[in-house]
Amino acid sequence: MQNQYREITFNLNGKDVTRVVDCRASLTDMLRNDFRMTSVKKGCEVGECGACNVLIDGECFNSCIYLAVWARGKKVRTLESLLGPNGELSDIQQAFIDETAVQCGFCTPGFIMTAVEILESGKEYSDAELRKLLSGHLCRCTGYENIFRAVKKTMYKRLGKPWTEEA
Protein backbone atom coordinates (compact mmCIF):
# COMPACT_ATOMS: atom_id res chain seq x y z
CA MET A 1 0.00 0.00 0.00
CA GLN A 2 1.31 3.42 -0.89
CA ASN A 3 1.35 6.21 1.68
CA GLN A 4 -1.60 7.77 -0.11
CA TYR A 5 -3.92 4.95 1.02
CA ARG A 6 -4.98 3.83 4.49
CA GLU A 7 -7.08 0.98 5.75
CA ILE A 8 -9.78 2.17 8.12
CA THR A 9 -12.41 0.40 10.17
CA PHE A 10 -15.48 2.23 11.37
CA ASN A 11 -19.12 1.60 12.16
CA LEU A 12 -21.55 2.48 9.38
CA ASN A 13 -25.22 2.47 10.31
CA GLY A 14 -24.64 -0.10 13.07
CA LYS A 15 -22.29 -2.40 11.16
CA ASP A 16 -18.49 -2.51 11.45
CA VAL A 17 -16.87 -2.08 8.04
CA THR A 18 -13.30 -1.88 6.72
CA ARG A 19 -12.10 -0.09 3.59
CA VAL A 20 -8.86 1.03 2.03
CA VAL A 21 -9.30 4.71 1.25
CA ASP A 22 -7.34 7.41 -0.49
CA CYS A 23 -6.19 9.85 2.21
CA ARG A 24 -7.48 12.71 0.06
CA ALA A 25 -11.02 11.30 -0.36
CA SER A 26 -13.96 12.92 1.35
CA LEU A 27 -16.31 10.96 3.54
CA THR A 28 -19.07 11.84 1.05
CA ASP A 29 -17.18 10.13 -1.77
CA MET A 30 -16.44 7.02 0.27
CA LEU A 31 -20.02 6.70 1.52
CA ARG A 32 -21.51 7.14 -1.95
CA ASN A 33 -18.95 5.23 -4.02
CA ASP A 34 -17.92 2.39 -1.71
CA PHE A 35 -21.12 1.87 0.27
CA ARG A 36 -23.84 3.21 -2.08
CA MET A 37 -25.24 5.51 0.60
CA THR A 38 -27.09 7.64 -1.94
CA SER A 39 -28.85 9.71 0.71
CA VAL A 40 -25.54 11.53 1.17
CA LYS A 41 -25.81 14.19 -1.52
CA LYS A 42 -23.03 16.13 -3.20
CA GLY A 43 -24.19 19.71 -3.18
CA CYS A 44 -21.69 22.52 -2.84
CA GLU A 45 -18.71 20.33 -1.84
CA VAL A 46 -17.40 23.13 0.40
CA GLY A 47 -19.45 22.56 3.56
CA GLU A 48 -22.00 25.31 2.96
CA CYS A 49 -25.27 23.63 1.93
CA GLY A 50 -25.77 20.70 4.35
CA ALA A 51 -26.91 18.21 1.68
CA CYS A 52 -24.14 15.80 2.71
CA ASN A 53 -24.78 15.90 6.47
CA VAL A 54 -24.21 12.67 8.39
CA LEU A 55 -23.95 11.94 12.09
CA ILE A 56 -20.50 11.03 13.37
CA ASP A 57 -20.52 9.83 16.95
CA GLY A 58 -23.89 11.56 17.33
CA GLU A 59 -22.85 14.95 15.95
CA CYS A 60 -23.73 16.34 12.52
CA PHE A 61 -20.91 16.99 10.07
CA ASN A 62 -20.69 18.09 6.46
CA SER A 63 -19.21 14.90 5.03
CA CYS A 64 -17.92 16.73 1.94
CA ILE A 65 -15.24 18.46 4.02
CA TYR A 66 -14.62 15.54 6.39
CA LEU A 67 -11.87 13.23 5.17
CA ALA A 68 -12.79 9.56 4.94
CA VAL A 69 -9.69 8.57 6.94
CA TRP A 70 -10.97 10.62 9.87
CA ALA A 71 -13.86 8.14 10.19
CA ARG A 72 -11.50 5.50 11.61
CA GLY A 73 -13.03 4.14 14.82
CA LYS A 74 -16.10 6.39 14.56
CA LYS A 75 -19.83 5.63 14.37
CA VAL A 76 -21.20 7.09 11.14
CA ARG A 77 -24.94 7.28 10.50
CA THR A 78 -26.65 8.19 7.27
CA LEU A 79 -30.33 8.56 6.49
CA GLU A 80 -30.39 4.86 5.63
CA SER A 81 -29.89 4.09 9.34
CA LEU A 82 -33.31 5.50 10.20
CA LEU A 83 -35.42 2.87 8.47
CA GLY A 84 -37.05 0.28 10.70
CA PRO A 85 -36.42 -3.47 10.28
CA ASN A 86 -39.29 -3.79 7.78
CA GLY A 87 -38.50 -0.57 5.94
CA GLU A 88 -40.79 1.62 8.04
CA LEU A 89 -39.95 5.30 8.24
CA SER A 90 -38.76 6.98 11.43
CA ASP A 91 -40.97 9.56 13.11
CA ILE A 92 -38.98 12.47 11.69
CA GLN A 93 -39.09 11.07 8.15
CA GLN A 94 -42.86 10.66 8.46
CA ALA A 95 -43.16 14.20 9.84
CA PHE A 96 -41.35 15.55 6.76
CA ILE A 97 -43.90 13.78 4.57
CA ASP A 98 -46.86 14.88 6.69
CA GLU A 99 -45.72 18.51 6.61
CA THR A 100 -44.83 18.45 2.89
CA ALA A 101 -41.26 19.31 3.86
CA VAL A 102 -39.68 17.21 1.11
CA GLN A 103 -40.23 19.29 -2.03
CA CYS A 104 -37.49 18.37 -4.55
CA GLY A 105 -35.87 16.14 -1.92
CA PHE A 106 -32.22 16.94 -2.60
CA CYS A 107 -31.58 18.71 0.71
CA THR A 108 -33.99 16.52 2.68
CA PRO A 109 -31.54 13.82 3.89
CA GLY A 110 -29.14 16.40 5.31
CA PHE A 111 -31.96 18.30 7.01
CA ILE A 112 -33.29 15.07 8.50
CA MET A 113 -29.86 14.09 9.85
CA THR A 114 -29.56 17.52 11.50
CA ALA A 115 -33.06 17.01 12.91
CA VAL A 116 -31.98 13.61 14.30
CA GLU A 117 -29.11 15.28 16.17
CA ILE A 118 -31.53 17.90 17.53
CA LEU A 119 -34.17 15.35 18.53
CA GLU A 120 -31.73 12.88 20.10
CA SER A 121 -30.52 15.61 22.47
CA GLY A 122 -33.83 15.21 24.32
CA LYS A 123 -33.99 18.98 24.85
CA GLU A 124 -36.83 21.36 24.18
CA TYR A 125 -35.67 24.20 21.97
CA SER A 126 -37.30 27.57 21.43
CA ASP A 127 -38.32 28.56 17.91
CA ALA A 128 -35.26 30.80 17.64
CA GLU A 129 -32.95 28.01 18.79
CA LEU A 130 -34.49 25.52 16.34
CA ARG A 131 -34.15 27.97 13.46
CA LYS A 132 -30.49 28.55 14.32
CA LEU A 133 -29.82 24.79 14.58
CA LEU A 134 -31.40 24.25 11.16
CA SER A 135 -29.69 27.27 9.57
CA GLY A 136 -26.71 25.38 8.14
CA HIS A 137 -28.75 24.14 5.18
CA LEU A 138 -29.51 25.57 1.79
CA CYS A 139 -32.96 24.70 0.44
CA ARG A 140 -33.61 26.19 -2.97
CA CYS A 141 -37.28 25.12 -2.86
CA THR A 142 -37.89 27.38 0.17
CA GLY A 143 -39.38 24.61 2.28
CA TYR A 144 -37.99 26.09 5.48
CA GLU A 145 -41.29 26.65 7.28
CA ASN A 146 -42.52 23.12 6.56
CA ILE A 147 -39.18 21.67 7.65
CA PHE A 148 -39.21 23.78 10.82
CA ARG A 149 -42.77 22.62 11.60
CA ALA A 150 -41.88 18.94 11.01
CA VAL A 151 -38.91 19.14 13.40
CA LYS A 152 -40.84 21.09 16.03
CA LYS A 153 -43.83 18.72 15.96
CA THR A 154 -41.54 15.70 16.29
CA MET A 155 -39.65 17.35 19.15
CA TYR A 156 -42.91 17.96 21.01
CA LYS A 157 -44.11 14.41 20.33
CA ARG A 158 -40.85 12.89 21.62
CA LEU A 159 -41.00 15.06 24.71
CA GLY A 160 -44.59 13.93 25.34
CA LYS A 161 -45.94 17.45 25.02
CA PRO A 162 -49.14 18.39 23.21
CA TRP A 163 -48.74 20.14 19.86
CA THR A 164 -50.84 23.07 18.73
CA GLU A 165 -50.11 25.53 15.95
CA GLU A 166 -49.34 28.12 18.66
CA ALA A 167 -46.88 25.83 20.46
Side-chain angles (χ1 to χ4, degrees), residues 62-121:
N62 296 112
S63 64
C64 69
I65 56 172
Y66 192 98
L67 293 177
V69 294
W70 295 344
R72 173 184 279 133
K74 307 277 186 193
K75 290 183 179 178
V76 178
R77 288 173 60 200
T78 67
L79 185 76
E80 288 84 355
S81 73
L82 301 183
L83 287 177
N86 297 314
E88 54 275 61
L89 298 177
S90 68
D91 58 350
I92 187 61
Q93 289 171 297
Q94 189 60 54
F96 266 62
I97 292 169
D98 294 345
E99 295 300 320
T100 321
V102 290
Q103 300 201 11
C104 86
F106 194 81
C107 69
T108 304
F111 262 116
I112 290 176
M113 294 314 292
T114 295
V116 169
E117 178 187 27
I118 292 166
L119 296 168
E120 288 183 351
S121 75

Side-chain angles (χ1 to χ4, degrees), residues 3 12 29 31-32 45 48 57 93 109 113 120-121 146 148 151 154 159 162:
N3 289 339
L12 177 59
D29 286 336
L31 292 172
R32 288 186 61 83
E45 296 191 67
E48 294 291 327
D57 291 341
Q93 289 171 297
M113 294 314 292
E120 288 183 351
S121 75
N146 296 5
F148 171 78
V151 175
T154 305
L159 293 172

Side-chain angles (χ1 to χ4, degrees), residues 37-53:
M37 296 293 134
T38 57
S39 71
V40 182
K41 305 296 186 205
K42 287 182 100 170
C44 66
E45 296 191 67
V46 293
E48 294 291 327
C49 74
C52 66
N53 271 16

